[in-house]
Amino acid sequence: MSETAEREVGRSRPRKEDARLLTGQTNWTDNISVGGLLHLAILRSPMAHAHIDRVDVTPALERPGVVAAFSGSDLADGMGSLPCAWPVTEDIVLPDHPPIAVDEVRYAGDPVAVVVARDRYAAADALEAIEVDYTPLPPVLDLEAALTESSPLVHSDKGTNRSYLWPLRTGEDFDAVRRRAEVTLKRRYVHQRLIANAMEPRGVVVTPLAASGEYTLYSSTQIPHILRIMLAVVTGIPEHKLRVIAPDVGGGFGSKLQVYGEEAIALTIARRLGRPVKWTESRSEGYLATHHGRGMIQDIEIAANRDGRLLGLKADLLVDMGAYLMLVTPGIPILGAFMYPGIYKMGSYELNVTGVFTTKTPTDAYRGAGRPEATYAIERIMDELAVELGMDPVELRRRNWIGHQEFPYTTIAGLTYDSGNYEAATEKALALFDYDKLRAEQADRNRRGDSVRLGIGVSTYTEMCGLAPSRVLRDLRYAAGGWEAASIRVLPTGKVEVVTGTSPHGQGHVTCWSQIAADVLGVPFEDVQVVHGDTRAAPQGMDTYGSRSLVVGGTAIHQAARKVVDKARKVAAHLLEASEQDLEFTGGVFSVKGSPDARKTLQELAFETFSSHDLPDGMEPTINAGHVTDPDDFSYPHGTHLCAVEVDTETGKTHIRSYVCVDDVGKVVNPMIVEGQVHGGLAQGIAQALYEEAVYDDQGNLVSGTMADYLVPSAPDLPEFVTDRTETPSTTNPLGVKGVGEAGTIASTPAVVNAVVDALRPLGVTEVRMPCTPERVWRAIEEASA
């Protein structure tokens, strides 16, 4: 980068990744093919809960192309229990989780046998030949019923369906607050189960090197480094003999933040047969086997005075764990536990989280992971409180949020928000939305008794993201840390390799990391290459989830690049016969103050270091550097989202007429990528509000197990979004950045549901359960009128 070149950070650079992706020059896991490759197909339980009496895989061996077949008992010696890395309490009930069922199946989709064949079609066809005898056991589906003494047990040896109880109480006793409050409200909110629909299904390829006992595992995963560690533990393969590669990964949304049984099964079979193997899920198989998200009942109580000042909040949560505790299943509601007070000041907070086992697909991280649920609860009940007080919902929020002059602010939940300006974001959003005009139109429609009602929804949010720091995670009983690693290699020709421990799956890391490095090093954006997703090429990392990549991984890159500059400075000072203090570094060039002609570019210094003919005494011949950063705190993006809907009271159909959001994500590296992340998040949050739901029947069968039954919105189902930003830089990292990947999902769901309920409130409707489908809206209207 020349001395006059524009800074990269802040530019809307088109993504480096896109040309290769758009032209099909990709390396998805399912694209990988090696000599002698075998294909796996997995037989899954059709029953939600049953004892396995007999599994006979012999008939499958007679099918054409079949090489081997295994039951759960056949593979049990080679695999341990799948890991849970977040046992949130000391007395948590933590059942064994076999990668393939041996004695009992506990959800429809639980693996019971595996066929290995020369092609995927032969493997799939042979599944029907496997003979399995089951003795049905009663399913456990209802969260409240599961906790009664008469309930059947998901894990009979544990004696309970309660996995854990996690309490949090801060400030004044809530019972005392309730007694003196002038207004109290109680509401129940239900979060349906959601199923991630990444463009690329999950897949695994394992290639063994029998002579040395080494294995390379390719997986469509968000967490190659964590996966390597955990699979070493599950299979007993030494970690240094296992290489994990996340090639091109087509989306994740939390569903690939996991150590799956299929990965352990594929590794174990490749080890046993000494042959490379591949497994790729079908879309309908993924609906059963990929972990689900959300699944929660919230009983919320809020206490306030008649002037609208909040006094306290109480939340009791029943959380659906599904049949097993997967990698971070118990911790998902704990991530949200600190966010129920949102951006508001109050003197009392009480939370009780109860994890409950059911005979359904296990739940785990889904975009936002606990924070959307918390934001939904507080933003929904704030609207309800505004109605109770006869107050505009925006005005109620104004009376209670943390003022911009009060930062840093320690909330009642114990978090210290470092920066923010809720007033500025809200005022900008209101202006873009034309709030007063829409309210006037709404009042006019209501007076006329219009059959199509207008509703306005508000959501003002913040979130904690950038999962860190490690000591906080220790206190929350999370097994891993929150650090991230990066290194910078300046090649002899002056080109740059950035090695990152983050593992992208659509976020644009290659582009943003190139921009960060280019600015610090003063090299052209095009001269930076980013290496990621391979535990051999990038051996240190904590991977990608929880909007941590930029805040933690980007900071590590920034700091590593600064170290490169510091090392290069020593070489430049030596060659220019000047003191380090007398050197200026601008645009990739070191020059002596007052003598601009005495200069060395970073590229020249890279070659000088490579030749090492004339280095300072005692200096190693490299200017490469690495950095591992462990953040001081989470980051706290915030914003205001406003939604206007039109609801046809005769059909129940909801149409989003306008949607405006103003987010504050601190300093922005690439505005175009931020826009893309916000748009994607909005689509996913709106989908929960209006469209998506995993539905089970009374026997525990997933009846929304295909895209024909599970409604994923497409572009025509979504409105044109009006987006904008305010900027209050984070004070806890040198880039001033905050997370953005989950913000749209967190804020949008309550904005939409608030709008739907607001439209119907004159008709007596006070709640519509998500998703607010036309049928549910119509029934709510009918019930209110009756």
Side-chain angles (χ1 to χ4, degrees):
M1 186 171 71
S2 71
E3 296 177 50
T4 58
E6 181 183 352
R7 284 186 59 82
E8 286 294 338
V9 170
R11 292 182 68 182
S12 285
R13 278 278 193 182
R15 300 195 331 167
K16 281 186 174 183
E17 301 92 325
D18 286 349
R20 188 171 53 83
L21 295 173
L22 292 170
T23 56
Q25 301 175 62
T26 50
N27 192 33
W28 312 115
T29 301
D30 192 51
N31 294 154
I32 295 167
S33 183
V34 295
L37 183 67
L38 300 175
H39 295 262
L40 307 184
I42 297 174
L43 183 68
R44 300 184 182 277
S45 169
M47 308 182 74
H49 199 195
H51 187 271
I52 301 174
D53 300 321
R54 181 180 72 97
V55 179
D56 186 359
V57 300
T58 307
L61 295 172
E62 300 171 0
R63 292 297 184 97
V66 172
V67 174
F70 304 96
S71 67
S73 58
D74 294 332
L75 297 175
D77 289 343
M79 297 183 291
S81 178
L82 293 175
C84 174
W86 205 338
V88 295
T89 63
E90 233 175 273
D91 60 351
I92 189 171
V93 175
L94 187 59
D96 285 342
H97 184 184
I100 182 169
V102 177
D103 301 315
E104 196 170 310
V105 292
R106 294 185 171 88
Y107 64 97
D110 215 349
V112 295
V114 187
V115 169
V116 187
R118 291 188 177 88
D119 67 71
R120 66 176 60 184
Y121 306 106
D125 289 344
L127 291 180
E128 65 184 20
I130 297 174
E131 298 174 3
V132 186
D133 294 336
Y134 299 99
T135 297
L137 297 170
V140 179
L141 305 170
D142 182 271
L143 295 181
E144 291 177 299
L147 297 177
T148 63
E149 289 186 9
S150 60
S151 174
L153 298 175
V154 180
H155 299 275
S156 57
D157 60 319
K158 299 303 180 184
T160 180
N161 289 322
R162 178 183 282 111
S163 175
Y164 66 89
L165 173 63
W166 191 91
L168 177 63
R169 290 171 176 80
T170 62
E172 187 180 353
D173 178 70
F174 186 81
D175 289 337
V177 167
R178 181 194 291 121
R179 287 192 293 269
R180 65 181 175 81
E182 295 171 347
V183 179
T184 60
L185 288 180
K186 292 183 181 180
R187 293 291 186 268
R188 167 166 284 202
Y189 302 123
V190 178
H191 290 260
Q192 73 274 37
R193 278 173 166 252
L194 301 176
I195 303 174
N197 280 271
M199 292 183 72
E200 180 204 18
R202 290 189 296 120
V204 186
V205 174
V206 181
T207 60
L209 188 60
S212 59
E214 295 180 79
Y215 301 86
T216 298
L217 182 143
Y218 301 85
S219 180
S220 178
T221 182
Q222 299 175 217
I223 53 167
H225 297 90
I226 295 172
L227 182 60
R228 180 192 190 204
I229 296 167
M230 294 303 187
L231 285 179
V233 172
V234 171
T235 65
I237 294 172
E239 186 183 349
H240 68 290
K241 298 284 190 179
L242 180 59
R243 177 185 185 185
V244 174
I245 299 174
D248 292 320
V249 178
F253 312 115
S255 71
K256 296 175 183 175
L257 197 186
Q258 194 54 264
V259 179
Y260 280 106
E262 293 87 356
E263 291 159 326
I265 291 168
L267 186 55
T268 300
I269 290 176
R271 185 185 197 183
R272 183 168 295 193
L273 300 181
R275 296 273 299 275
V277 300
K278 176 190 284 189
W279 171 80
T280 303
E281 72 178 3
S282 68
R283 186 67 66 177
S284 56
E285 185 180 21
Y287 275 41
L288 288 170
T290 297
H291 74 242
H292 294 179
R294 311 290 192 258
M296 179 187 294
I297 298 172
Q298 303 169 316
D299 287 308
I300 309 297
E301 184 174 1
I302 198 165
N305 286 331
R306 276 284 165 198
D307 64 359
R309 305 291 176 181
L310 299 184
L311 301 177
L313 181 72
K314 183 176 186 289
D316 292 307
L317 314 181
L318 292 180
V319 187
D320 190 347
M321 304 284 97
Y324 296 100
L325 303 183
M326 298 192 76
L327 190 64
V328 292
T329 303
I332 297 304
I334 309 309
L335 278 174
F338 300 94
M339 302 310 301
Y340 279 81
I343 65 174
Y344 307 115
K345 295 180 286 188
M346 59 188 73
S348 173
Y349 176 46
E350 179 179 328
L351 175 85
N352 300 289
V353 182
T354 302
V356 184
F357 290 115
T358 61
T359 53
K360 301 178 186 178
T361 300
T363 59
D364 208 301
Y366 182 94
R367 195 172 189 171
R371 282 79 50 81
E373 297 93 312
T375 301
Y376 184 86
I378 186 63
E379 289 305 294
R380 284 288 294 114
I381 206 164
M382 285 295 282
D383 259 34
E384 296 296 305
L385 181 60
V387 172
E388 178 71 18
L389 297 173
M391 190 179 295
D392 182 272
V394 175
E395 177 57 29
L396 177 63
R397 288 165 169 81
R398 281 196 184 104
R399 294 191 184 192
N400 289 285
W401 64 40
I402 303 156
H404 69 274
Q405 72 283 355
E406 298 178 84
F407 291 96
Y409 185 90
T410 300
T411 74
I412 188 65
L415 298 176
T416 300
Y417 298 169
D418 63 315
S419 67
N421 191 329
Y422 309 140
E423 304 97 307
T426 302
E427 290 309 313
K428 181 175 276 193
L430 291 171
L432 290 169
F433 191 65
D434 210 347
Y435 183 80
D436 292 338
K437 185 177 179 181
L438 282 168
R439 282 292 185 201
E441 180 186 342
Q442 178 188 43
D444 182 58
R445 285 198 190 195
N446 290 342
R447 278 193 302 271
R448 291 188 283 107
D450 198 326
S451 64
V452 178
R453 295 301 177 106
L454 178 65
I456 298 168
V458 181
S459 174
T460 53
Y461 80 100
T462 189
E463 59 151 324
M464 54 184 280
C465 59
L467 192 60
S470 296
R471 290 182 180 181
V472 171
L473 298 179
R474 172 203 62 194
D475 294 342
L476 293 174
R477 302 180 60 85
Y478 183 57
W483 53 268
E484 193 49 79
S487 60
I488 307 287
R489 300 194 291 246
V490 186
L491 305 179
T493 56
K495 308 304 181 185
V496 175
E497 290 179 336
V498 173
V499 182
T500 176
T502 64
S503 186
H505 42 282
Q507 295 88 343
H509 288 186
V510 171
T511 303
C512 290
W513 292 186
S514 296
Q515 290 179 271
I516 292 169
D519 269 0
V520 177
L521 300 175
V523 300
F525 169 80
E526 295 78 11
D527 285 359
V528 183
Q529 179 75 24
V530 178
V531 178
H532 60 79
D534 182 340
T535 60
R536 182 169 293 171
Q540 273 190 297
M542 289 300 295
D543 305 318
T544 295
Y545 40 85
S547 302
R548 72 184 301 272
S549 293
L550 177 59
V551 176
V552 192
T555 293
I557 290 163
H558 176 84
Q559 299 292 58
R562 288 174 62 92
K563 288 182 177 181
V564 168
V565 173
D566 290 342
K567 293 176 77 171
R569 185 183 299 274
K570 296 181 184 300
V571 180
H574 175 74
L575 295 174
L576 294 171
E577 299 180 345
S579 70
E580 293 180 41
Q581 293 74 24
D582 286 339
L583 293 184
E584 295 177 330
F585 181 68
T586 305
V589 177
F590 288 98
S591 60
V592 179
K593 295 175 184 176
S595 302
D597 292 336
R599 50 191 280 145
K600 288 285 182 181
T601 67
L602 190 71
Q603 288 88 343
E604 290 172 325
L605 296 171
F607 193 84
E608 293 279 3
T609 308
F610 165 72
S611 69
S612 67
H613 291 167
D614 187 12
L615 296 181
D617 291 341
M619 182 175 180
E620 60 181 351
T622 179
I623 57 173
N624 299 342
H627 188 82
V628 179
T629 189
D630 199 339
D632 296 329
D633 202 348
F634 299 91
S635 77
Y636 302 98
H638 68 83
T640 296
H641 288 223
L642 300 170
C643 178
V645 301
E646 293 181 323
V647 181
D648 188 328
T649 60
E650 296 177 353
T651 65
K653 182 172 175 56
T654 297
H655 166 70
I656 298 180
R657 175 168 147 178
S658 62
Y659 196 102
V660 169
C661 65
V662 175
D663 295 294
D664 193 319
V665 297
K667 288 286 186 181
V668 172
V669 173
N670 187 314
M672 186 185 301
I673 287 177
V674 168
E675 284 290 297
Q677 288 293 305
V678 170
H679 278 222
L682 293 177
Q684 216 152 354
I686 291 169
Q688 180 177 2
L690 297 180
Y691 300 111
E692 296 188 25
E693 182 177 22
V695 179
Y696 286 84
D697 66 16
D698 58 5
Q699 295 302 306
N701 300 303
L702 182 66
V703 297
S704 57
T706 71
M707 282 189 167
D709 308 297
Y710 185 94
L711 182 55
V712 179
S714 60
D717 300 307
L718 298 168
E720 292 287 332
F721 303 125
V722 176
T723 64
D724 208 334
R725 292 187 303 277
T726 56
E727 185 179 293
T728 53
S730 172
T731 63
T732 60
N733 67 75
L735 293 170
V737 295
K738 304 175 182 181
V740 69
E742 295 162 300
T745 310
I746 289 167
S748 55
T749 308
V752 174
V753 177
N754 277 342
V756 171
V757 175
D758 184 59
L760 302 179
R761 203 179 297 277
L763 305 177
V765 175
T766 59
E767 177 64 11
V768 179
R769 181 173 165 177
M770 295 187 292
C772 301
T773 61
E775 180 184 357
R776 281 192 177 150
V777 170
W778 182 83
R779 289 190 182 278
I781 295 169
E782 291 297 300
E783 290 168 8
S785 65

